[in-house]
């Protein structure tokens, strides 16, 4: 597939490396412009581009930016796209957003409201970037790490779950976007590197 990655930090860089390594055509963009992405492009084989180029040419777009950057994205370009929300809300970095602080709204629903018309799926937010690079395992391998995947669009969620599996992790259906707070920071499934059964337990144990 053609995959656009918005964000060139730890998670964006890790996904560029791994998605390119398994054969996808990756374009990476950041807020500073493609001229700042030469080193990452040489290392990963990804194509540096603008945000607009990364979105317009993509079958799937991955958001790997600080949550505070979401309102500044060109929302109209994302409409109709499968968008993977790999972001997390960190108040100390992103500032206070009342409905996110009390979890009355999941961060992915908040993102979807800013990017209206997207087929948003929450994934890749619970694992450390270096583990994305190093810890993928073949299907059925002992100790294979599982990643929760949440979304309202069944087809989009399946596409993302297949990507998770291809990268060497067990995808776990985590329900819809409104319940994706169960995989946000501070929950049992976040950063725990659990197997599939462990992730399911973690999602069930999560409390607002």
């Amino acid at each position: 597939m053609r995959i656009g990655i918005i964000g060139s930090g730890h998670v964006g860089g890790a996904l560029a490396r791994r998605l390119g390594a398994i054969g996808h055509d990756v374009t990476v963009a950041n807020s500073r412009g493609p001229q700042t992405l030469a080193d990452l492009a040489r290392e990963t084989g990804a194509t540096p581009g603008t945000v607009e180029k990364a979105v317009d040419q993509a079958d799937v777009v991955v958001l790997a930016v600080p949550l505070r950057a979401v309102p500044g994205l060109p929302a109209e370009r994302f409409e109709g796209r499968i968008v993977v929300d790999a972001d997390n809300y960190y108040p100390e970095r992103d500032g206070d957003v009342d409905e996110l602080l009390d979890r009355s709204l999941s961060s992915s629903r908040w993102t979807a409201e800013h990017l209206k018309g997207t087929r948003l799926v929450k994934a890749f937010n619970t694992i450390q970037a270096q583990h994305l690079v190093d810890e993928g395992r073949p299907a059925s391998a002992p100790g294979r790490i599982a990643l929760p995947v949440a979304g309202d669009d069944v087809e989009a969620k399946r596409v993302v779950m297949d990507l998770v599996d291809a990268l060497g992790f067990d995808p776990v259906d985590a329900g819809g976007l409104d319940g994706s707070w169960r995989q946000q920071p501070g929950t049992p499934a976040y950063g725990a590197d659990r197997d599939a059964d462990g992730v399911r337990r973690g999602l069930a144990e999560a409390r607002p």
Side-chain angles (χ1 to χ4, degrees):
M1 289 189 294
R2 297 170 301 175
I3 299 178
I5 299 177
I6 313 302
S8 57
H10 296 304
V11 172
L15 287 171
R17 291 176 180 88
R18 292 292 295 118
L19 290 167
I22 62 173
H24 295 288
D25 182 358
V26 178
T27 299
V28 181
N30 63 16
S31 61
R32 302 184 302 279
Q35 70 280 358
T36 67
L37 295 168
D39 289 345
L40 182 63
R42 279 193 294 270
E43 181 183 346
T44 65
T47 301
T50 63
V51 171
E52 290 78 9
K53 178 182 177 182
V55 174
D56 290 350
Q57 297 182 354
D59 301 307
V60 174
V61 180
V62 179
L63 286 184
V65 297
L67 183 130
R68 65 174 184 268
V70 169
L73 294 171
E76 68 283 353
R77 304 299 271 265
F78 290 79
E79 190 170 352
R81 306 279 179 182
I82 297 176
V83 176
V84 183
D85 176 17
D87 298 346
N88 284 308
Y89 172 53
Y90 300 111
E92 64 276 14
R93 180 194 66 188
D94 300 310
D96 290 348
V97 180
D98 289 343
E99 61 265 42
L100 298 184
L101 284 170
D102 66 11
R103 289 187 180 165
S104 61
L105 191 70
S106 71
S107 65
S108 285
R109 179 62 69 194
W110 183 89
T111 296
E113 290 181 357
H114 283 283
L115 302 177
K116 292 187 182 300
T118 61
R119 304 166 68 189
L120 197 83
V121 178
K122 184 74 165 184
F124 300 119
N125 72 298
T126 58
I127 186 170
Q128 294 179 35
Q130 196 59 48
H131 291 188
L132 273 174
V133 175
D134 296 335
E135 300 299 331
R137 299 288 184 271
S140 302
R144 199 184 199 214
I145 295 170
L147 303 180
V149 181
D152 298 336
D153 185 307
V154 173
E155 181 185 359
K157 186 157 60 172
R158 173 49 56 192
V159 168
V160 177
M161 291 178 79
D162 287 346
L163 275 178
V164 169
D165 184 45
L167 287 169
F169 303 94
D170 280 337
V172 171
D173 191 330
L177 284 185
D178 288 330
S180 62
W181 61 267
R182 294 179 178 275
Q183 65 193 76
Q184 291 178 178
T187 62
Y190 177 78
D193 288 350
R194 298 183 177 198
D195 64 11
D197 287 341
V199 166
R200 293 186 188 98
R201 287 196 303 272
L203 294 171
E205 292 165 358
R207 296 294 179 266

